[in-house]
mmCIF file with all atom_site columns, all heavy atoms in Angstrom:
data_model
loop_
_atom_site.group_PDB
_atom_site.id
_atom_site.type_symbol
_atom_site.label_atom_id
_atom_site.label_alt_id
_atom_site.label_comp_id
_atom_site.label_asym_id
_atom_site.label_entity_id
_atom_site.label_seq_id
_atom_site.pdbx_PDB_ins_code
_atom_site.Cartn_x
_atom_site.Cartn_y
_atom_site.Cartn_z
_atom_site.occupancy
_atom_site.B_iso_or_equiv
_atom_site.pdbx_formal_charge
_atom_site.auth_seq_id
_atom_site.auth_comp_id
_atom_site.auth_asym_id
_atom_site.auth_atom_id
_atom_site.pdbx_PDB_model_num
ATOM 1   N N   . LYS A 1 229 ? 11.230 11.934 -2.093 1.00 0.00 ? 229 LYS A N   1
ATOM 2   C CA  . LYS A 1 229 ? 10.827 13.252 -1.741 1.00 0.00 ? 229 LYS A CA  1
ATOM 3   C C   . LYS A 1 229 ? 9.323  13.291 -1.330 1.00 0.00 ? 229 LYS A C   1
ATOM 4   O O   . LYS A 1 229 ? 8.954  13.856 -0.361 1.00 0.00 ? 229 LYS A O   1
ATOM 5   C CB  . LYS A 1 229 ? 11.060 14.170 -2.922 1.00 0.00 ? 229 LYS A CB  1
ATOM 6   C CG  . LYS A 1 229 ? 10.942 15.580 -2.606 1.00 0.00 ? 229 LYS A CG  1
ATOM 7   C CD  . LYS A 1 229 ? 11.526 16.490 -3.763 1.00 0.00 ? 229 LYS A CD  1
ATOM 8   C CE  . LYS A 1 229 ? 10.659 17.689 -3.938 1.00 0.00 ? 229 LYS A CE  1
ATOM 9   N NZ  . LYS A 1 229 ? 10.621 18.138 -5.306 1.00 0.00 ? 229 LYS A NZ  1
ATOM 10  N N   . ASN A 1 230 ? 8.544  12.555 -2.103 1.00 0.00 ? 230 ASN A N   1
ATOM 11  C CA  . ASN A 1 230 ? 7.085  12.596 -1.881 1.00 0.00 ? 230 ASN A CA  1
ATOM 12  C C   . ASN A 1 230 ? 6.659  11.764 -0.732 1.00 0.00 ? 230 ASN A C   1
ATOM 13  O O   . ASN A 1 230 ? 5.624  11.970 -0.088 1.00 0.00 ? 230 ASN A O   1
ATOM 14  C CB  . ASN A 1 230 ? 6.371  12.310 -3.223 1.00 0.00 ? 230 ASN A CB  1
ATOM 15  C CG  . ASN A 1 230 ? 6.380  13.479 -4.109 1.00 0.00 ? 230 ASN A CG  1
ATOM 16  O OD1 . ASN A 1 230 ? 5.616  14.441 -3.851 1.00 0.00 ? 230 ASN A OD1 1
ATOM 17  N ND2 . ASN A 1 230 ? 7.279  13.505 -5.060 1.00 0.00 ? 230 ASN A ND2 1
ATOM 18  N N   . CYS A 1 231 ? 7.442  10.720 -0.431 1.00 0.00 ? 231 CYS A N   1
ATOM 19  C CA  . CYS A 1 231 ? 7.128  9.888  0.786  1.00 0.00 ? 231 CYS A CA  1
ATOM 20  C C   . CYS A 1 231 ? 7.249  10.768 2.005  1.00 0.00 ? 231 CYS A C   1
ATOM 21  O O   . CYS A 1 231 ? 6.528  10.536 3.015  1.00 0.00 ? 231 CYS A O   1
ATOM 22  C CB  . CYS A 1 231 ? 8.179  8.696  0.885  1.00 0.00 ? 231 CYS A CB  1
ATOM 23  S SG  . CYS A 1 231 ? 7.548  7.310  0.023  1.00 0.00 ? 231 CYS A SG  1
ATOM 24  N N   . LYS A 1 232 ? 8.066  11.755 2.002  1.00 0.00 ? 232 LYS A N   1
ATOM 25  C CA  . LYS A 1 232 ? 8.197  12.618 3.206  1.00 0.00 ? 232 LYS A CA  1
ATOM 26  C C   . LYS A 1 232 ? 6.856  13.386 3.400  1.00 0.00 ? 232 LYS A C   1
ATOM 27  O O   . LYS A 1 232 ? 6.482  13.633 4.505  1.00 0.00 ? 232 LYS A O   1
ATOM 28  C CB  . LYS A 1 232 ? 9.379  13.613 2.973  1.00 0.00 ? 232 LYS A CB  1
ATOM 29  C CG  . LYS A 1 232 ? 10.702 12.891 2.793  1.00 0.00 ? 232 LYS A CG  1
ATOM 30  C CD  . LYS A 1 232 ? 11.777 13.375 3.736  1.00 0.00 ? 232 LYS A CD  1
ATOM 31  C CE  . LYS A 1 232 ? 12.935 12.330 3.821  1.00 0.00 ? 232 LYS A CE  1
ATOM 32  N NZ  . LYS A 1 232 ? 13.937 12.310 2.813  1.00 0.00 ? 232 LYS A NZ  1
ATOM 33  N N   . LYS A 1 233 ? 6.198  13.726 2.272  1.00 0.00 ? 233 LYS A N   1
ATOM 34  C CA  . LYS A 1 233 ? 4.916  14.396 2.381  1.00 0.00 ? 233 LYS A CA  1
ATOM 35  C C   . LYS A 1 233 ? 3.877  13.437 3.032  1.00 0.00 ? 233 LYS A C   1
ATOM 36  O O   . LYS A 1 233 ? 3.076  13.892 3.844  1.00 0.00 ? 233 LYS A O   1
ATOM 37  C CB  . LYS A 1 233 ? 4.426  14.894 1.004  1.00 0.00 ? 233 LYS A CB  1
ATOM 38  C CG  . LYS A 1 233 ? 5.308  15.975 0.411  1.00 0.00 ? 233 LYS A CG  1
ATOM 39  C CD  . LYS A 1 233 ? 4.670  16.498 -0.880 1.00 0.00 ? 233 LYS A CD  1
ATOM 40  C CE  . LYS A 1 233 ? 5.719  17.252 -1.660 1.00 0.00 ? 233 LYS A CE  1
ATOM 41  N NZ  . LYS A 1 233 ? 5.360  17.400 -3.074 1.00 0.00 ? 233 LYS A NZ  1
ATOM 42  N N   . ILE A 1 234 ? 3.922  12.228 2.614  1.00 0.00 ? 234 ILE A N   1
ATOM 43  C CA  . ILE A 1 234 ? 2.953  11.220 3.151  1.00 0.00 ? 234 ILE A CA  1
ATOM 44  C C   . ILE A 1 234 ? 3.257  11.055 4.673  1.00 0.00 ? 234 ILE A C   1
ATOM 45  O O   . ILE A 1 234 ? 2.336  11.009 5.451  1.00 0.00 ? 234 ILE A O   1
ATOM 46  C CB  . ILE A 1 234 ? 3.148  9.832  2.483  1.00 0.00 ? 234 ILE A CB  1
ATOM 47  C CG1 . ILE A 1 234 ? 2.984  9.974  0.987  1.00 0.00 ? 234 ILE A CG1 1
ATOM 48  C CG2 . ILE A 1 234 ? 2.190  8.807  3.040  1.00 0.00 ? 234 ILE A CG2 1
ATOM 49  C CD1 . ILE A 1 234 ? 1.554  10.156 0.487  1.00 0.00 ? 234 ILE A CD1 1
ATOM 50  N N   . TYR A 1 235 ? 4.538  11.021 5.001  1.00 0.00 ? 235 TYR A N   1
ATOM 51  C CA  . TYR A 1 235 ? 4.926  10.875 6.407  1.00 0.00 ? 235 TYR A CA  1
ATOM 52  C C   . TYR A 1 235 ? 4.328  12.017 7.285  1.00 0.00 ? 235 TYR A C   1
ATOM 53  O O   . TYR A 1 235 ? 3.797  11.730 8.346  1.00 0.00 ? 235 TYR A O   1
ATOM 54  C CB  . TYR A 1 235 ? 6.473  10.867 6.523  1.00 0.00 ? 235 TYR A CB  1
ATOM 55  C CG  . TYR A 1 235 ? 6.944  10.883 7.942  1.00 0.00 ? 235 TYR A CG  1
ATOM 56  C CD1 . TYR A 1 235 ? 6.963  9.733  8.713  1.00 0.00 ? 235 TYR A CD1 1
ATOM 57  C CD2 . TYR A 1 235 ? 7.430  12.088 8.475  1.00 0.00 ? 235 TYR A CD2 1
ATOM 58  C CE1 . TYR A 1 235 ? 7.361  9.808  10.021 1.00 0.00 ? 235 TYR A CE1 1
ATOM 59  C CE2 . TYR A 1 235 ? 7.877  12.146 9.818  1.00 0.00 ? 235 TYR A CE2 1
ATOM 60  C CZ  . TYR A 1 235 ? 7.858  10.944 10.575 1.00 0.00 ? 235 TYR A CZ  1
ATOM 61  O OH  . TYR A 1 235 ? 8.254  10.992 11.891 1.00 0.00 ? 235 TYR A OH  1
ATOM 62  N N   . ASP A 1 236 ? 4.424  13.235 6.770  1.00 0.00 ? 236 ASP A N   1
ATOM 63  C CA  . ASP A 1 236 ? 3.846  14.388 7.532  1.00 0.00 ? 236 ASP A CA  1
ATOM 64  C C   . ASP A 1 236 ? 2.379  14.134 7.753  1.00 0.00 ? 236 ASP A C   1
ATOM 65  O O   . ASP A 1 236 ? 1.878  14.487 8.844  1.00 0.00 ? 236 ASP A O   1
ATOM 66  C CB  . ASP A 1 236 ? 4.112  15.662 6.794  1.00 0.00 ? 236 ASP A CB  1
ATOM 67  C CG  . ASP A 1 236 ? 5.549  16.074 6.801  1.00 0.00 ? 236 ASP A CG  1
ATOM 68  O OD1 . ASP A 1 236 ? 6.326  15.511 7.657  1.00 0.00 ? 236 ASP A OD1 1
ATOM 69  O OD2 . ASP A 1 236 ? 6.004  16.885 5.958  1.00 0.00 ? 236 ASP A OD2 1
ATOM 70  N N   . MET A 1 237 ? 1.691  13.660 6.748  1.00 0.00 ? 237 MET A N   1
ATOM 71  C CA  . MET A 1 237 ? 0.237  13.448 6.903  1.00 0.00 ? 237 MET A CA  1
ATOM 72  C C   . MET A 1 237 ? -0.069 12.328 7.908  1.00 0.00 ? 237 MET A C   1
ATOM 73  O O   . MET A 1 237 ? -0.993 12.419 8.755  1.00 0.00 ? 237 MET A O   1
ATOM 74  C CB  . MET A 1 237 ? -0.414 13.044 5.584  1.00 0.00 ? 237 MET A CB  1
ATOM 75  C CG  . MET A 1 237 ? -0.398 14.164 4.586  1.00 0.00 ? 237 MET A CG  1
ATOM 76  S SD  . MET A 1 237 ? -1.109 13.497 3.094  1.00 0.00 ? 237 MET A SD  1
ATOM 77  C CE  . MET A 1 237 ? -1.518 14.977 2.259  1.00 0.00 ? 237 MET A CE  1
ATOM 78  N N   . GLN A 1 238 ? 0.693  11.214 7.808  1.00 0.00 ? 238 GLN A N   1
ATOM 79  C CA  . GLN A 1 238 ? 0.534  10.177 8.812  1.00 0.00 ? 238 GLN A CA  1
ATOM 80  C C   . GLN A 1 238 ? 0.761  10.612 10.228 1.00 0.00 ? 238 GLN A C   1
ATOM 81  O O   . GLN A 1 238 ? -0.025 10.313 11.128 1.00 0.00 ? 238 GLN A O   1
ATOM 82  C CB  . GLN A 1 238 ? 1.505  9.029  8.445  1.00 0.00 ? 238 GLN A CB  1
ATOM 83  C CG  . GLN A 1 238 ? 1.203  8.304  7.146  1.00 0.00 ? 238 GLN A CG  1
ATOM 84  C CD  . GLN A 1 238 ? 2.285  7.287  6.803  1.00 0.00 ? 238 GLN A CD  1
ATOM 85  O OE1 . GLN A 1 238 ? 3.431  7.585  6.968  1.00 0.00 ? 238 GLN A OE1 1
ATOM 86  N NE2 . GLN A 1 238 ? 1.899  6.145  6.293  1.00 0.00 ? 238 GLN A NE2 1
ATOM 87  N N   . ARG A 1 239 ? 1.811  11.413 10.386 1.00 0.00 ? 239 ARG A N   1
ATOM 88  C CA  . ARG A 1 239 ? 2.209  11.938 11.709 1.00 0.00 ? 239 ARG A CA  1
ATOM 89  C C   . ARG A 1 239 ? 1.068  12.811 12.226 1.00 0.00 ? 239 ARG A C   1
ATOM 90  O O   . ARG A 1 239 ? 0.641  12.711 13.399 1.00 0.00 ? 239 ARG A O   1
ATOM 91  C CB  . ARG A 1 239 ? 3.437  12.715 11.500 1.00 0.00 ? 239 ARG A CB  1
ATOM 92  C CG  . ARG A 1 239 ? 4.219  12.862 12.781 1.00 0.00 ? 239 ARG A CG  1
ATOM 93  C CD  . ARG A 1 239 ? 5.650  13.333 12.566 1.00 0.00 ? 239 ARG A CD  1
ATOM 94  N NE  . ARG A 1 239 ? 6.117  13.761 13.852 1.00 0.00 ? 239 ARG A NE  1
ATOM 95  C CZ  . ARG A 1 239 ? 6.089  14.991 14.277 1.00 0.00 ? 239 ARG A CZ  1
ATOM 96  N NH1 . ARG A 1 239 ? 5.592  15.964 13.502 1.00 0.00 ? 239 ARG A NH1 1
ATOM 97  N NH2 . ARG A 1 239 ? 6.525  15.333 15.502 1.00 0.00 ? 239 ARG A NH2 1
ATOM 98  N N   . GLU A 1 240 ? 0.562  13.644 11.359 1.00 0.00 ? 240 GLU A N   1
ATOM 99  C CA  . GLU A 1 240 ? -0.487 14.609 11.758 1.00 0.00 ? 240 GLU A CA  1
ATOM 100 C C   . GLU A 1 240 ? -1.785 13.856 12.198 1.00 0.00 ? 240 GLU A C   1
ATOM 101 O O   . GLU A 1 240 ? -2.338 14.205 13.280 1.00 0.00 ? 240 GLU A O   1
ATOM 102 C CB  . GLU A 1 240 ? -0.828 15.455 10.490 1.00 0.00 ? 240 GLU A CB  1
ATOM 103 C CG  . GLU A 1 240 ? -1.611 16.707 10.893 1.00 0.00 ? 240 GLU A CG  1
ATOM 104 C CD  . GLU A 1 240 ? -1.944 17.530 9.640  1.00 0.00 ? 240 GLU A CD  1
ATOM 105 O OE1 . GLU A 1 240 ? -1.065 17.691 8.779  1.00 0.00 ? 240 GLU A OE1 1
ATOM 106 O OE2 . GLU A 1 240 ? -3.109 17.947 9.599  1.00 0.00 ? 240 GLU A OE2 1
ATOM 107 N N   . VAL A 1 241 ? -2.167 12.856 11.496 1.00 0.00 ? 241 VAL A N   1
ATOM 108 C CA  . VAL A 1 241 ? -3.391 12.116 11.840 1.00 0.00 ? 241 VAL A CA  1
ATOM 109 C C   . VAL A 1 241 ? -3.200 11.336 13.169 1.00 0.00 ? 241 VAL A C   1
ATOM 110 O O   . VAL A 1 241 ? -4.072 11.232 14.012 1.00 0.00 ? 241 VAL A O   1
ATOM 111 C CB  . VAL A 1 241 ? -3.893 11.198 10.688 1.00 0.00 ? 241 VAL A CB  1
ATOM 112 C CG1 . VAL A 1 241 ? -3.081 9.955  10.503 1.00 0.00 ? 241 VAL A CG1 1
ATOM 113 C CG2 . VAL A 1 241 ? -5.325 10.848 10.920 1.00 0.00 ? 241 VAL A CG2 1
#
Side-chain angles (χ1 to χ4, degrees):
K229 192 167 141 211
N230 283 283
C231 270
K232 302 231 160 81
K233 294 186 193 159
I234 305 285
Y235 172 77
D236 289 341
M237 290 179 164
Q238 290 173 319
R239 202 166 165 265
E240 196 181 318
V241 74

